[in-house]
Amino acid sequence: MQKSRFVLAAALILGQSETYGFSTISSPAATRTAAGSASKLQLSDENDDAAINSNNGNLHAIRSIKSSIKPIGLALLTSVSSLFLPQQAMASAPVTPIKNFKPPDSKAIALKKINDAKNQEKMQEQMAHQIKCEEIEEEQGSAARAAFEKDYEDNLVREAEERSLNRKKLMYGLTDMGICPFVDFEGERQVYLFDHGIDLNKVPATKQQKEMMNLKRDKKLPIRRQKERFLVKCIVEDVKNQGEDPLKYLEENKPKTQEILIMKERQLDAVVGRYSQLLQQQGSISGTKADTPFDVEAAIFGVVDEKAAKAAGRAKAAAEKAAAKAQKDAVKVEKAKAAADEKAAKEAAKAEAKAAKEATKAEAKAAKE
């Protein structure tokens, strides 16, 4: 009777699993076990029905066992079934990308800050000038103010002309060093510094700042830059010998200069060797020379007339020749002066020696007497 109670309890557990929709182990062994248990439960149910009909007290006991085992059975089925169920996916909300996202332009932000500061400084200077003008007018009259403002404007014009002249000097000076002011990072940096007063080496995310860092890290890079600028310098000298403006040539042929800057190391070394050989053999890479080579000074100071340029060239050559002659004459004069000084020193030494000898004789004669 006690055995049948436990069998009935197991049957109730299985029955509760079906009632609540739990699924048992889906393996073949579990299926056979469940089938065997079901057949046994059916037999035990028939025996239990007879027992229950014969004894009402047993029914009460079965109900007590059923109510006490029901929670345990549910917990057991839940834990067992969880072993064979797939793990829940760690899902999340879909991430939607931001359309047309652009990272902040560090270079533009830094330049804006610097330009804003410079504009603020200019505004303060203009305000100070306006205050000065009003003070002069109040103290000395409107005529004095007009004269002061005219002098101020004239100074601005002179500064602008001088600045334009200095800019030309900078541009042609860079070309003479083989630094292209339109392509070379250093050339761009110096031109921008002159025009805007901003050193791009100190501005974040600029090519110049990256170049500066690379030059410090890579010991071979400075040597490569020297080779590149040697080639550009050879081209500039050849263009000048042909009577053309090297600055204009570099501006119109920026892609060709860029090709030099991106050459592979072996190709760069080969071109450097070839240019060096040509310079030794014929003085320039092309070997051609115009009757009137390009005059940088004429381009800087604005001498555009051909006759004037030739005259300036002749005057320059004559001045150089005269300076060389003057230097040569100065050397001759120095040599003559040195020879004269040396001769005078020898004569003085000879005279001193003679005087000393005569003095010695006189002393000896006086001693005898």
Side-chain angles (χ1 to χ4, degrees), residues 225-255:
R225 292 291 180 261
Q226 291 178 1
K227 296 177 183 178
E228 295 168 353
R229 289 164 186 169
F230 169 75
L231 298 183
V232 175
K233 185 177 181 180
C234 291
I235 294 172
V236 167
E237 292 297 327
D238 189 62
V239 170
K240 288 165 64 177
N241 288 335
Q242 296 179 20
E244 298 179 11
D245 188 344
L247 188 62
K248 183 178 179 181
Y249 176 86
L250 291 177
E251 186 176 9
E252 294 176 350
N253 295 274
K254 289 185 283 187

Side-chain angles (χ1 to χ4, degrees), residues 128-349:
H129 172 70
Q130 187 66 24
I131 293 172
K132 182 68 176 177
C133 291
E134 293 176 355
E135 290 177 354
I136 292 175
E137 183 177 8
E138 183 179 356
E139 295 175 359
Q140 305 177 18
S142 58
R145 174 175 180 172
F148 176 77
E149 289 183 346
K150 185 178 182 303
D151 185 55
Y152 179 79
E153 294 295 333
D154 291 341
N155 286 333
L156 292 179
V157 172
R158 284 194 296 269
E159 289 178 0
E161 292 176 351
E162 184 178 358
R163 185 172 181 80
S164 177
L165 185 66
N166 290 334
R167 192 178 193 278
K168 290 181 180 180
K169 290 181 180 180
L170 172 64
M171 299 292 280
Y172 282 106
L174 290 172
T175 59
D176 287 341
M177 292 187 292
I179 301 175
C180 178
F182 309 105
V183 176
D184 195 304
F185 293 157
E186 178 61 19
E188 292 177 344
R189 184 190 73 83
Q190 292 198 30
V191 173
Y192 200 91
L193 178 61
F194 182 88
D195 290 342
H196 305 282
I198 300 173
D199 189 354
L200 294 178
N201 278 352
K202 301 177 181 179
V203 178
T206 58
K207 297 181 293 183
Q208 285 71 24
Q209 189 183 66
K210 295 178 182 177
E211 174 77 0
M212 180 184 65
M213 296 174 65
N214 291 333
L215 287 172
K216 293 180 180 180
R217 294 172 181 172
D218 189 356
K219 297 181 180 179
K220 296 181 180 180
L221 186 58
I223 300 174
R224 178 183 173 85
R225 292 291 180 261
Q226 291 178 1
K227 296 177 183 178
E228 295 168 353
R229 289 164 186 169
F230 169 75
L231 298 183
V232 175
K233 185 177 181 180
C234 291
I235 294 172
V236 167
E237 292 297 327
D238 189 62
V239 170
K240 288 165 64 177
N241 288 335
Q242 296 179 20
E244 298 179 11
D245 188 344
L247 188 62
K248 183 178 179 181
Y249 176 86
L250 291 177
E251 186 176 9
E252 294 176 350
N253 295 274
K254 289 185 283 187
K256 294 182 179 180
T257 308
Q258 188 65 38
E259 289 179 1
I260 295 175
L261 302 181
I262 62 175
M263 277 185 183
K264 294 183 178 179
E265 198 67 31
R266 290 184 179 181
Q267 184 182 5
L268 182 63
D269 291 338
V271 177
V272 169
R274 178 59 178 165
Y275 277 24
S276 300
Q277 185 180 3
L278 291 173
L279 289 177
Q280 293 177 358
Q281 292 176 353
Q282 54 194 22
S284 64
I285 56 178
S286 67
T288 59
K289 189 173 182 179
D291 295 335
T292 306
F294 181 79
D295 190 351
V296 175
E297 291 186 3
I300 292 174
F301 294 100
V303 180
V304 295
D305 187 16
E306 185 176 355
K307 292 182 179 180
K310 289 182 179 181
R314 289 193 296 269
K316 181 181 178 182
E320 291 177 353
K321 186 176 180 180
K325 184 179 179 181
Q327 185 177 3
K328 189 176 181 180
D329 293 340
V331 171
K332 288 182 179 180
V333 170
E334 289 293 332
K335 287 183 178 180
K337 184 179 180 182
D341 292 341
E342 185 179 0
K343 184 178 180 181
K346 287 181 180 180
E347 290 178 354

